[in-house]
């Protein structure tokens, strides 16, 4: 069993006075955890000691190791943050607090608690990145000792590790930690699958030995012949990566293991490219499989040359070429900053990238509605493969695979994303939903007054774009619902001969306290979203002497709509009303007002069941815009008749959105069209134009 003395021996890289501080932290933690035991039956102090040992392997500084020893004292013992500050200083206390879960608050669900704890940890990480290194070491030891827990709890913790902590380790470039977390999670989530893959890997290792030796000798001989120096090692695939490839690529185990992986470690960047040339002379490279992560590093700071070759007997060989510093970076990520205190610092770039990433997380969490939204947003961002694209000025931006011009626009700046209307990929105009390919140059076209479209949420891939679009739409919906709420309240007050401005302030205050709202805007937004009836709010605001408006209902004037009010006035998709139609409004909880044609079946049933939610509305005389209408056309099966019909619709200045054809019999077809028009007069003109075609028998506007 580990002891404090064995830990102190490992910390010989630290000055003696710092080692004594760590010894003091150990005895403090041992006293605090006195009488506490882990599920395995071991004294609790074994866990903080093991976490400190993991950090000492990374050559972490004294404050991090102290925080590791003390990381559970705030959460699990009587010790407060203030006591820790007095004993070990503010920095250590802040590190410990950042790693501690939020225990005092009761959450409705485990998911909510997990999300809030994650948000707290991210905020602590932005102040001091060492928080996440202590947390990763804590999680790594917990995963190593997970076997004593109930299988259900094991699976839950393993899933959380796989979804959050392993990707964070990857994002910080800590490959060794990531691989171990992934393999341990996989073993606890799918023990049968893990043991079978482990067994198969062991068997295949014996069969592959000769081929690995031959390829390695051939590579070493070629490097020697060309006077190049480099260390050639075989590369083992780990369990979870084999399982993921089998699942994603739908390939059997043998096909995954047929690829032989090697790594060549050299002493300079120049040598990397020389070795690559020598290897390409030895074996034939597969076109399109060369990746230069030295010139363009990955988001987590990873640098290496990757190439895939066809070796002897058609065997595929994957080779990575990198320097010693790059290898240290690849395995330890930002921890290399503490592991190799050298000049130049190999982890300097990773540190800066990590800080940039954390800055982005901080911005996202400020815009997220709640902790669960934030956690989901970050999960999306943790962390797919990248594509590398150019701005018009030649700067390189990295985005996740599948990213669109909208993602690019938000990556440049939030204001560019919010006002983008179109994009050019390699000087060619493309839809905003087009996936971006590596190497393309992107130019975003913006327009003043433009705003994000809710449909963008269905295709954007980056967390930053998603968070900003949601934030904008929430803000916009709020302002629109307040405006609609005020109009509905004015309409509800009209039968009483009152206007909203004439109501005394004290009556408004009374109405707000009775309804349980903090501000007037909150109440108006609730009315606008259809969660509260305007008539009830109006009665609360009026002096009690006012007579019932039923007698004065004749004064009630219809609410005037334009159809372009935004997100809180929606046109029903069942009957698709257009300007000029006789219409009614229905207040739908959470959505605002939905406009129906007055002969729509759905509004007829609502008039019977919830009459108070239906209100009289009418189109504004100058309503403009494009509105969709569904038509059903019965026509003869004549050659070219459909093309002529489309041409007639176009001549009437209408647009066809969708078209669907069904044969009725040998002579007749039914064409279902959705066209966009301006108003009822424009629709009548379009239908008259369509009727000029002799093949058309009947045109019906679809209702419900």
């Amino acid at each position: 069993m580990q002891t404090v003395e064995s830990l102190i021996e490992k910390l010989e890289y630290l000055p003696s006075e710092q080692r004594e501080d760590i010894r003091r932290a150990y005895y403090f933690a041992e006293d605090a955890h006195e009488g506490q035991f882990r599920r395995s039956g071991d004294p609790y102090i074994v866990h903080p000691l093991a976490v400190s040992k993991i950090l000492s392997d990374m050559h972490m500084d004294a404050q991090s190791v102290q925080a590791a020893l003390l990381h559970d004292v705030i959460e699990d013992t009587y010790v407060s943050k203030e006591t820790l500050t007095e004993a070990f200083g503010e920095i250590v206390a802040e590190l410990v607090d950042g790693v501690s879960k939020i225990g005092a608050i009761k959450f409705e669900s485990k998911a909510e608690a997990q999300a809030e704890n994650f948000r707290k940890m991210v905020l602590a990480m932005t102040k001091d990145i060492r928080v996440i290194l202590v947390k990763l070491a804590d999680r790594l030891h917990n995963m190593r000792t997970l076997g004593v827990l109930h299988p259900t709890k094991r699976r839950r913790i393993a899933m959380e590790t796989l979804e959050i902590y392993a990707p964070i380790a990857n994002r910080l470039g800590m490959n060794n930690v990531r691989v171990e977390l992934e393999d341990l999670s996989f073993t606890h989530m799918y023990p049968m699958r893990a043991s079978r893959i482990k067994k198969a890997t062991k068997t295949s290792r014996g069969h592959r030995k000769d081929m690995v030796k031959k390829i390695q000798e051939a590579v070493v001989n070629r490097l020697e012949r060309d006077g190049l120096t480099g260390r050639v090692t075989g590369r083992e695939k780990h369990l979870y990566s084999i399982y993921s490839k089998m699942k994603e690529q739908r390939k059997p185990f043998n096909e995954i293991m047929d690829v032989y992986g090697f790594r060549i470690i050299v002493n300079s960047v120049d040598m990397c490219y020389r070795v690559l040339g020598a290897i390409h002379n030895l074996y034939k490279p597969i076109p399109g499989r060369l990746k230069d992560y030295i010139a363009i590093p990955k988001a987590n700071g990873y640098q290496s040359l990757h190439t895939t070759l066809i070796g002897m007997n058609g065997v595929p060989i994957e080779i990575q070429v990198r320097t010693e510093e790059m290898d240290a970076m690849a395995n330890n990520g930002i921890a290399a900053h503490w592991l190799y205190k050298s000049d130049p610092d190999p982890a300097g770039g990773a540190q800066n990238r990590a800080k940039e990433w954390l800055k982005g997380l901080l911005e996202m969490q400020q815009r997220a509605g709640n902790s669960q939204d934030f956690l989901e947003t970050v999960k999306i961002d943790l962390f797919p493969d990248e594509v590398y694209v150019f701005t018009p000025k030649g700067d390189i931006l990295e985005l996740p695979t599948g990213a669109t011009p909208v993602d690019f626009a938000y990556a440049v700046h939030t204001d560019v994303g919010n006002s983008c209307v179109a994009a050019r990929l390699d000087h060619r105009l493309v839809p905003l939903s087009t996936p971006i390919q590596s190497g393309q140059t992107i130019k975003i076209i913006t327009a003043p007054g433009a705003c994000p479209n809710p449909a963008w949420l269905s295709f954007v891939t980056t967390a930053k774009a998603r968070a900003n679009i949601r934030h904008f739409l929430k803000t916009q919906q709020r302002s629109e619902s307040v405006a609609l709420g005020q109009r509905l309240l004015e309409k509800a007050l009209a039968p009483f001969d009152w206007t909203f401005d004439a109501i005394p302030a004290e009556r408004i205050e009374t109405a707000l306290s009775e309804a349980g709202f903090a501000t007037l805007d909150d109440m108006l937004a609730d009315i606008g979203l259809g969660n509260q009836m305007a008539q009830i709010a109006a009665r609360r605001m009026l002096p009690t002497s006012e007579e019932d408006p039923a007698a004065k209902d004749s004064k009630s004037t219809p609410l005037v709509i334009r159809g372009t009010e935004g997100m809180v006035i929606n046109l029903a998709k069942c009957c698709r009303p257009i300007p000029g139609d006789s219409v009614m409004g229905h207040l739908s909880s959470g959505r605002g007002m939905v406009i129906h044609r007055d002969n729509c079946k759905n509004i007829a049933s609502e008039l019977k069941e919830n009459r108070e939610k239906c209100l009289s509305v009418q189109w504004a005389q100058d309503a403009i815009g494009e509105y969709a209408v569904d038509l059903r056309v019965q026509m003869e099966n004549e050659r070219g008749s459909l093309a002529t019909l489309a041409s007639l619709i176009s001549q009437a200045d209408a647009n066809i959105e969708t078209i669907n054809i069904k044969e009725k019999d040998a002579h007749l077809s039914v064409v279902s069209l959705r066209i966009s028009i301006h108003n009822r007069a424009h629709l009548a003109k379009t239908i008259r134009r369509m009727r000029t075609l002799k093949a058309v028998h009947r045109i019906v506007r679809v209702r419900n």
Side-chain angles (χ1 to χ4, degrees), residues 208-459:
R208 288 157 53 96
K209 210 177 263 179
D210 287 347
M211 181 58 82
V212 169
K213 196 177 175 187
K214 278 181 188 170
I215 297 169
Q216 198 164 342
E217 281 176 0
V219 171
V220 169
N221 291 339
R222 171 51 66 115
L223 294 183
E224 283 176 359
R225 208 182 87 187
D226 291 356
L228 304 171
T229 53
R231 182 160 50 87
V232 182
T233 58
R235 208 161 43 82
E236 285 267 316
K237 286 187 173 70
H238 67 283
L239 296 185
Y240 184 68
S241 91
I242 294 169
Y243 173 71
S244 299
K245 282 182 180 169
M246 287 170 71
K247 199 174 166 188
E248 286 162 18
Q249 298 173 14
R250 298 181 176 275
K251 286 183 178 178
F253 177 81
N254 291 342
E255 272 188 49
I256 301 291
M257 294 304 283
D258 274 352
V259 181
Y260 292 81
F262 292 89
R263 189 170 290 141
I264 304 173
I265 312 294
V266 297
N267 56 14
S268 70
V269 173
D270 176 57
M271 188 63 78
C272 289
Y273 291 99
R274 290 174 184 228
V275 166
L276 182 73
I279 298 304
H280 281 185
N281 277 331
L282 176 63
Y283 297 124
K284 187 173 280 188
I286 298 175
R289 295 296 296 273
L290 170 64
K291 292 193 176 79
D292 187 346
Y293 293 120
I294 293 178
I296 307 173
K298 284 191 179 185
N300 60 10
Y302 175 88
Q303 288 184 290
S304 189
L305 294 175
H306 288 197
T307 185
T308 307
L309 315 141
I310 297 295
M312 51 190 91
N313 307 323
V315 170
I317 303 166
E318 286 177 354
I319 289 183
Q320 298 174 354
V321 187
R322 58 176 79 146
T323 64
E324 292 283 359
E325 289 82 10
M326 290 171 193
D327 196 46
M329 247 320 296
N331 293 326
N332 302 294
I334 61 161
H337 171 70
W338 288 276
L339 202 49
Y340 302 89
K341 290 254 172 119
S342 60
D343 199 22
D345 178 357
Q351 285 270 42
N352 295 335
R353 282 188 175 82
K355 280 172 187 162
E356 280 298 310
W357 172 58
L358 290 171
K359 201 169 130 194
L361 283 190
L362 192 61
E363 191 181 313
M364 267 188 268
Q365 86 87 29
Q366 284 162 356
R367 290 179 176 275
N370 57 45
S371 296
Q372 281 173 288
D373 272 1
F374 174 54
L375 182 56
E376 282 310 307
T377 306
V378 175
K379 274 185 189 175
I380 294 163
D381 213 32
L382 286 174
F383 289 119
D385 293 333
E386 295 93 6
V387 291
Y388 297 92
V389 293
F390 295 94
T391 67
K393 290 181 179 175
D395 297 328
I396 294 173
L397 273 184
E398 51 200 30
L399 293 165
T401 302
T404 63
V406 177
D407 293 296
F408 173 85
Y410 278 105
V412 172
H413 197 277
T414 304
D415 292 343
V416 176
N418 284 343
S419 58
C420 82
V421 290
R424 289 184 184 277
L425 286 186
D426 295 333
H427 310 292
R428 203 164 39 87
L429 212 56
V430 295
L432 288 174
S433 57
T434 309
I436 297 167
Q437 306 295 324
S438 264
Q440 288 182 320
T441 300
I442 307 177
K443 184 180 181 181
I444 298 295
I445 299 158
T446 59
C451 60
N453 186 330
W456 291 356
L457 288 169
S458 64
F459 58 74

Side-chain angles (χ1 to χ4, degrees), residues 146-165:
L146 207 58
V148 293
L149 298 180
H150 186 274
T152 311
K153 195 170 182 185
R154 279 211 302 263
R155 275 194 292 276
R156 181 176 61 75
I157 293 170
M159 174 66 82
E160 183 185 84
T161 304
L162 215 47
E163 284 185 351
I164 298 171
Y165 293 101

Side-chain angles (χ1 to χ4, degrees), residues 17-18 25 40 46 51 64 91 192 197 227 232 242 251 274 328 344 375 412 422 458 513 544 572 639 672 690:
E17 63 273 15
Q18 289 185 1
S40 59
V46 166
V51 174
S64 303
I91 294 173
M192 294 283 284
I197 291 176
V232 182
I242 294 169
K251 286 183 178 178
R274 290 174 184 228
L375 182 56
V412 172
S458 64
S513 61
T544 47
R639 189 187 180 95
S672 297
M690 290 163 72

Side-chain angles (χ1 to χ4, degrees), residues 646-666:
S647 173
L648 289 168
I649 292 169
S650 176
Q651 286 167 28
D653 292 328
N655 267 331
I656 299 174
E657 288 184 12
T658 63
I659 188 164
N660 191 24
I661 305 166
K662 279 185 182 175
E663 279 196 7
K664 192 176 180 185
D665 53 39

Side-chain angles (χ1 to χ4, degrees), residues 100 136 210 349 392 456 548 570 600 650:
S100 300
L136 286 173
D210 287 347
W456 291 356
D548 192 284
N570 302 286
C600 173
S650 176

Side-chain angles (χ1 to χ4, degrees), residues 23 34 43 49 76 110 148 167 172 180 201 208 242 247-248 251 275 314 417 422 510 543 551 553 622 626 638 665 695:
R23 193 191 297 274
E34 185 68 46
L49 197 57
D76 294 339
K110 269 207 165 66
V148 293
L172 300 175
E180 191 174 349
T201 310
R208 288 157 53 96
I242 294 169
K247 199 174 166 188
E248 286 162 18
K251 286 183 178 178
V275 166
T510 307
D553 213 26
D622 57 347
E626 292 206 340
E638 284 183 11
D665 53 39

